[in-house]
Amino acid sequence: MLGHLRNTVLPDRQRRSLDSLREDLDLSSGDSRAKQSAFWTMLTLSSVIAAGGILTDSTATVIGAMIIAPLSTPIMGISLAAVQRRASTAATFVALGCLLVITIGAAASLVVPHSYDLLSNGQIAGRTSPGLLDLIAALATGFAGAVALARKDVAAVLPGVAIAISLVPPLVVAGVCAGQQSWWLALGALVLFLSNLFALVFAGMVVFAALGTPSPGVMHCRRSPRRAYLMLGLLFTAVLLPLAANTVATVLLANWTSQTRSSAQRWLSHTPGAEVISVEAQSRTLYIHVRSPGGLPPISDLLSALEGQVPNGIPIVVDATRGQQIRAGKVGG
């Protein structure tokens, strides 16, 4: 069954050899000076482009940075080295490359005023709160990239893979947020990058191991890199836990926000012309934005309606469009 799947995904005629892949993925082999010069040049330029696209909230510019970013090359080099059980400098290039990108992001943050709301920028907000779906998408993208590298006939999909897997942008966001001393946001962006990194390495190891497996009936003496898979599994678990926790928190928060909106609408139902504009959560506080031509009903009625709908102790703030802000209190308090 597995052999049939391998032959379907990696047909014999279209397979590349591991030695051929090493020429492409190992920045220390062959004409190493030219390879490394291209790597550092393109990584620097892609980081600057990504920083500009993120700070101007330009999706098109960020996509351009993704296409030219070469960081996936040494990452896949880590996978190949693990499968071949040989020493490699790929991890060093990845680590130094990450430091370079984060530094450029931190430098770019100098043009951002300290009063700037980072979460109002869609490019930043979308990369500071990763969840399990991000990891699943990264795994699928990693397999697509590894298969494209392993086959001779599907290299044309690599630009799409570069766009789908987010490597340089979250590192730039981590640098920008760190430069603004928003450490939790920086950590969220870094977790997104790490989840994508581990997904690429894992997918590459699986595909390259299948690529190096001989056809049935042929003796093969090379041992499976079990230790590498074990270490990668532990790293995956370390990333999976915060992603799972963040996913659960996001789902719960969305549910509490919905319940709060429903309760607030019922609270204003007997006030002519009054309506709930939005409900949002900020810094563990639920803000209810309302519009009313006159006075508001008693706040105590709202807090009573929220009991059992959201956890006790959550602060509630009612924000009226006339500029009046009423700190309602805590649910169940």
Side-chain angles (χ1 to χ4, degrees):
M1 179 65 180
L2 291 177
H4 177 71
L5 178 61
R6 186 201 65 180
N7 292 330
T8 300
V9 176
L10 300 171
D12 287 335
R13 294 182 182 178
Q14 300 299 337
R15 290 185 196 177
R16 297 181 63 189
S17 67
L18 292 181
D19 291 335
S20 163
L21 277 175
R22 184 178 177 184
E23 283 296 317
D24 291 343
L25 300 179
D26 189 351
L27 298 178
S28 299
S29 67
D31 190 354
S32 60
R33 176 174 294 184
K35 287 182 179 180
Q36 293 172 23
S37 172
F39 173 78
W40 292 116
T41 300
M42 298 307 292
L43 183 60
T44 300
L45 292 174
S46 67
S47 302
V48 173
I49 294 171
I54 287 168
L55 293 181
T56 58
D57 203 356
S58 172
T59 300
T61 305
V62 173
I63 289 175
M66 291 178 180
I67 293 176
I68 68 173
L71 202 53
S72 61
T73 297
I75 290 176
M76 283 298 187
I78 294 175
S79 302
L80 185 61
V83 168
Q84 294 186 316
R85 298 181 65 82
R86 60 176 177 78
S88 172
T89 58
T92 301
F93 281 105
V94 172
L96 293 178
C98 291
L99 288 177
L100 172 65
V101 178
I102 291 175
T103 300
I104 291 175
S109 72
L110 296 176
V111 305
V112 180
H114 286 286
S115 59
Y116 181 72
D117 182 8
L118 293 174
L119 292 179
S120 67
N121 185 314
Q123 299 297 328
I124 295 177
R127 293 182 171 89
T128 54
S129 184
L132 286 177
L133 289 179
D134 293 295
L135 181 60
I136 293 172
L139 274 172
T141 306
F143 277 110
V147 170
L149 287 170
R151 291 181 56 151
K152 303 173 183 177
D153 58 338
V154 292
V157 308
L158 286 175
V161 171
I163 295 173
I165 193 74
S166 191
L167 295 172
V168 166
L171 287 175
V172 171
V173 169
V176 171
C177 293
Q180 291 289 298
Q181 298 183 353
S182 296
W183 303 112
W184 279 111
L185 295 181
L187 180 61
L190 192 59
V191 169
L192 174 61
F193 168 77
L194 290 176
S195 67
N196 292 343
L197 167 67
F198 296 147
L200 275 178
V201 173
F202 177 78
M205 288 177 65
V206 171
V207 173
F208 297 156
L211 189 67
T213 302
S215 301
V218 177
M219 295 300 293
H220 186 63
C221 61
R222 182 173 293 173
R223 293 183 297 169
S224 174
R226 294 181 180 178
R227 181 177 297 178
Y229 280 114
L230 177 60
M231 291 301 298
L232 190 61
L234 294 175
L235 292 174
F236 243 123
T237 302
V239 172
L240 184 65
L241 291 177
L243 290 180
N246 189 61
T247 300
V248 171
T250 300
V251 171
L252 288 175
L253 189 59
N255 181 60
W256 295 337
T257 301
S258 175
Q259 296 286 1
T260 301
R261 186 183 185 92
S262 299
S263 298
Q265 287 173 340
R266 291 193 298 271
W267 173 60
L268 293 176
S269 60
H270 299 296
T271 303
E275 62 177 332
V276 178
I277 300 174
S278 65
V279 177
E280 59 182 356
Q282 294 181 3
S283 303
R284 301 180 181 178
T285 300
L286 286 172
Y287 289 84
I288 305 173
H289 301 280
V290 302
R291 179 187 293 120
S292 177
L296 296 174
I299 296 297
S300 58
D301 293 347
L302 173 62
L303 295 177
S304 298
L306 287 173
E307 289 189 19
Q309 304 297 317
V310 299
N312 290 340
I314 291 184
I316 303 294
V317 173
V318 177
D319 187 21
T321 56
R322 295 178 302 172
Q324 179 186 14
Q325 190 177 81
I326 305 171
R327 187 164 295 276
K330 295 184 178 180
V331 178

